[in-house]
Amino acid sequence: MTIKRLLTSEVEPGMVLANDIYDSAGALIVPKETRLDKSIIEKLEKYSIFIVKILEGYDDENVPREIVGYYEKISATKEFEEFEHVFNQETLKLRNAFNGVVDKGKDVDKAALLQGVDNILKANRNNNNMMDMLNCMRGYDDLTYVHCISVALVCNVMAGWLGMSKNDTDELTFAGLLHDIGKVKIPKQIITKPGKLTDAEYKIVKHHPRLGYEILKKCNVSNDVRLVALMHHERYDGTGYPLGYSGEKITKFARIVAIADVYDAMTANRVYREGMCPFEVIEHFQSGMKMYDPGFLYQFLEHTAQTYVSNKVQLSDGQVGKVAMINKSELGRPIVLVGDKVIDLSKNSKLRVVKMM
Ligand SMILES: [Fe+2]
């Protein structure tokens, strides 16, 4: 049995809910394991529940209870359910705030938006690894608001790793929240299109940094925040857009948000399909290293890798072991203990970590 995330608009009668659904006041609307029909789907829409989790392979007679997989285990915890609930509520608030700014010319309420991020951080009460919590939220990255909140949370975690002041942390988190605001101006059919974009569509999407900058120019936000919207697709080696800037010509905050943005895009939509593995993400980043600020990237990848020391992992030949140590020079290839055998992946190019257990 697997869990799949769907937009409520994509849900069909006969599908089975994977989790309890609550309204904004916290009252239960539809309990988990309910088989959906037209009237329940309408009810979900009425309550502005725009994302649901569906159980695939559910058999009413014979319910298999075993939860497999690292992320599914986290997803099944009470803490995660609470985290997800607050996350979804804050996503709705961010959507309203974006629309207020873009459609009604309202000002940006920085304090309220940052409070939203703080609510999510506090909802992670047991201080679980934020990257793991976010990885469990994947599956609907096409929603700009969800992506923006994830990027803001990754930025917040990165600010901590980089030892930033409270002020800079807030500003970077805020910039992460607003970085893609320009996407609100891109036709929705393109933003939510499943599958690959055509060249013409991609060209349109590439307007969003400038559009975001134009929107924020009219708002009461700092220039740092505006420049993140403009420059988060610039690349350190000059291969990005829209300006083709390189190195430190790209602002510091934009260089950090670029990493958080790519991290989120890379991990999105993959967890439930194939079991995203953080070490795979690290190796991926390292192969395109020149595109990012080397200092920020190293800090990011080292901390990400470090959080998985002692984790149970599966190797590409099926062996299961425990991450014993991270190799500083090859962060995606740790030293793994399998029984009493020590396998140094930096010296064994045929093997790699494929799965968290
Ligand atoms: Fe973007």
Side-chain angles (χ1 to χ4, degrees):
M1 198 161 55
T2 53
I3 299 172
K4 197 174 158 192
R5 277 162 208 282
L6 288 177
L7 296 175
T8 307
S9 56
E10 297 170 338
V11 166
E12 283 169 16
M15 291 180 168
V16 177
L17 268 187
N19 59 325
D20 292 330
I21 304 274
Y22 298 91
D23 68 9
S24 55
L28 183 66
I29 320 171
V30 190
K32 64 179 169 194
E33 291 172 14
T34 297
R35 203 169 273 281
L36 299 171
D37 60 22
K38 247 180 120 187
S39 70
I40 302 174
I41 296 171
E42 279 166 13
K43 190 171 172 185
L44 294 173
E45 276 164 352
K46 205 179 102 199
Y47 278 94
S48 300
I49 308 292
F50 62 103
I51 296 154
V52 290
K53 289 197 289 191
I54 294 297
L55 283 174
E56 283 194 316
Y58 181 91
D59 176 354
D60 303 68
E61 311 265 286
N62 184 16
V63 184
R65 295 284 170 186
E66 199 196 351
I67 296 165
V68 283
Y70 179 68
Y71 293 110
E72 282 188 324
K73 272 185 224 152
I74 296 171
S75 302
T77 61
K78 189 99 202 101
E79 288 80 17
F80 179 74
E81 225 170 85
E82 275 179 44
F83 174 83
E84 187 177 39
H85 180 61
V86 177
F87 188 104
N88 286 341
Q89 285 197 327
E90 295 307 332
T91 303
L92 277 177
K93 286 192 208 159
L94 185 69
R95 179 171 65 169
N96 292 340
F98 272 21
N99 291 336
V101 170
V102 176
D103 299 336
K104 297 178 191 129
K106 281 193 190 163
D107 249 340
V108 186
D109 188 344
K110 182 177 177 184
L113 288 179
L114 282 177
Q115 184 59 50
V117 174
D118 206 47
N119 291 344
I120 303 173
L121 290 168
K122 284 200 186 108
N124 182 12
R125 249 188 259 157
N126 289 11
N127 242 330
N128 290 319
N129 180 0
M130 182 54 77
M131 303 305 188
D132 281 344
M133 296 297 257
L134 289 177
N135 283 340
C136 293
M137 293 293 309
R138 307 300 181 196
Y140 39 79
D141 178 66
D142 45 348
L143 289 172
T144 301
Y145 319 99
V146 175
H147 169 65
C148 284
I149 292 201
S150 301
V151 168
L153 289 163
V154 174
C155 282
N156 191 278
V157 172
M158 281 178 80
W161 289 342
L162 296 168
M164 283 186 172
S165 68
K166 166 92 175 79
N167 254 350
D168 278 359
T169 302
D170 280 354
E171 202 66 357
L172 178 67
T173 306
F174 189 48
L177 266 182
L178 297 174
H179 80 283
D180 256 352
I181 194 167
K183 280 196 182 161
V184 176
K185 291 261 192 194
I186 305 287
K188 218 175 155 205
Q189 317 84 276
I190 299 181
I191 296 293
T192 57
K193 182 182 172 183
K196 224 173 165 241
L197 297 179
T198 64
D199 287 351
E201 287 166 337
Y202 187 51
K203 225 173 147 184
I204 295 173
V205 170
K206 281 168 115 180
H207 284 299
H208 79 273
R210 277 190 201 277
L211 291 170
Y213 179 71
E214 291 304 324
I215 293 167
L216 294 177
K217 233 165 73 178
K218 294 180 208 130
C219 292
N220 56 331
V221 300
S222 70
N223 217 27
D224 276 343
V225 171
R226 293 176 188 140
L227 289 175
V228 165
L230 181 65
M231 296 186 181
H232 68 276
H233 286 285
E234 300 295 344
R235 291 294 173 255
Y236 203 75
D237 59 359
T239 57
Y241 66 90
L243 305 162
Y245 279 6
S246 61
E248 307 210 344
K249 223 175 156 188
I250 308 164
T251 65
K252 177 178 158 187
F253 281 2
R255 279 178 270 140
I256 299 173
V257 172
I259 295 170
D261 182 28
V262 170
Y263 173 83
D264 191 64
M266 211 185 278
T267 54
N269 280 322
R270 300 184 55 194
V271 170
Y272 291 101
R273 241 184 15 225
E274 41 192 87
M276 205 242 7
C277 173
F279 289 101
E280 204 179 45
V281 174
I282 292 169
E283 284 212 273
H284 213 91
F285 256 118
Q286 285 187 316
S287 64
M289 212 149 170
K290 287 194 193 113
M291 294 197 276
Y292 310 96
D293 181 300
F296 293 144
L297 184 66
Y298 187 81
Q299 289 273 6
F300 177 68
L301 298 184
E302 204 208 348
H303 278 97
T304 304
Q306 212 65 48
T307 50
Y308 294 102
V309 168
S310 301
N311 250 90
K312 222 168 136 190
V313 290
Q314 191 177 45
L315 302 180
S316 46
D317 64 352
Q319 295 188 89
V320 172
K322 215 177 185 185
V323 177
M325 236 174 98
I326 298 301
N327 277 308
K328 296 256 176 200
S329 55
E330 282 199 64
L331 296 166
R333 312 195 129 264
I335 296 168
V336 178
L337 269 178
V338 177
D340 46 18
K341 206 167 48 177
V342 179
I343 303 178
D344 184 347
L345 295 179
S346 70
K347 296 191 178 114
N348 190 331
S349 61
K350 281 189 199 126
L351 282 179
R352 61 198 167 85
V353 178
V354 289
K355 203 169 161 188
M356 309 304 292
M357 307 281 286

